[in-house]
Amino acid sequence: MKKKITIISLITILSFFVGTTRESFIINVEVLAPFLFTLLGLCLTAYTFIYAPISEILKKDSMKNDESKQRLQKLLGSFEEDMMLIFFMTIIIIILDFMKHVDIPFFKNALNLDLGIVKIGSLKEYVFNFIISMSACFSFYALYDLMRATFKILRKSFDK
């Protein structure tokens, strides 16, 4: 639980500062969305290559231990959840980028806010950049989790 809180806190702090920038990779949707979709395609390919060794592991007679089977099933489930997270975060990023360019007349856009630590040119742009940055960071963390699960699965497949 402490690890999750720490990760969410770091992502929030990073997004707080990245949201103030205008030209950062993590908030540039024209570059970020194709990058995330490419990573998602690579993850799907990796999943198909990893699924074969796992099915072989689960078929082995030496896999009598139900705990090992459950751990492998859990790793596969984690793999699928992370791929879905990357997909939905990419869709959210695209929707937010579209909404960022739509003018909503009900809300007043505060300009040139000086908070002491940071200076925000446009509150509307900052809020959207912050959310896009958080979504991108969660996608990158999901990619890290995918790689970690892949290494665990492959390590388990070579154990005799």
Side-chain angles (χ1 to χ4, degrees):
M1 186 65 174
K2 286 183 182 180
K3 182 180 176 183
K4 289 182 181 182
I5 291 172
T6 304
I7 291 168
I8 290 173
S9 299
L10 289 174
I11 288 174
T12 304
I13 291 169
L14 176 70
S15 297
F16 176 75
F17 288 110
V18 170
T20 60
T21 64
R22 289 180 182 257
E23 297 298 323
S24 176
F25 169 76
I26 209 161
I27 58 171
N28 187 356
V29 179
E30 290 83 20
V31 176
L32 186 63
F35 178 73
L36 288 175
F37 277 127
T38 303
L39 286 178
L40 185 63
L42 291 173
C43 292
L44 287 170
T45 305
Y47 181 77
T48 57
F49 284 121
I50 287 173
Y51 189 75
I54 287 182
S55 62
E56 291 298 319
I57 293 169
L58 294 175
K59 290 179 185 176
K60 287 183 184 178
D61 291 334
S62 62
M63 274 303 274
K64 301 287 185 194
N65 190 356
D66 286 334
E67 182 180 328
S68 295
K69 285 183 181 181
Q70 288 176 349
R71 287 180 66 199
L72 284 175
Q73 295 288 351
K74 185 178 177 185
L75 284 173
L76 270 180
S78 170
F79 211 90
E80 293 167 5
E81 288 172 3
D82 289 335
M83 286 190 299
M84 292 304 290
L85 178 72
I86 291 172
F87 175 73
F88 286 120
M89 286 294 142
T90 306
I91 297 299
I92 287 171
I93 287 170
I94 292 170
I95 292 169
L96 286 172
D97 185 56
F98 174 74
M99 290 177 64
K100 183 166 70 170
H101 297 293
V102 173
D103 190 28
I104 302 171
F106 297 116
F107 300 108
K108 184 178 180 198
N109 187 14
L111 301 173
N112 297 325
L113 296 173
D114 189 7
L115 301 176
I117 298 174
V118 293
K119 187 172 184 179
I120 299 173
S122 167
L123 185 61
K124 174 185 166 186
E125 185 176 332
Y126 173 77
V127 169
F128 280 110
N129 287 347
F130 176 78
I131 297 170
I132 289 171
S133 174
M134 283 192 72
S135 299
C137 287
F138 281 123
S139 296
F140 293 143
Y141 181 73
L143 179 66
Y144 163 75
D145 197 34
L146 282 169
M147 290 189 314
R148 196 177 67 195
T150 303
F151 292 140
K152 284 182 182 179
I153 290 169
L154 292 176
R155 191 175 325 125
K156 191 70 171 173
S157 70
F158 292 119
D159 289 345
K160 302 285 184 201

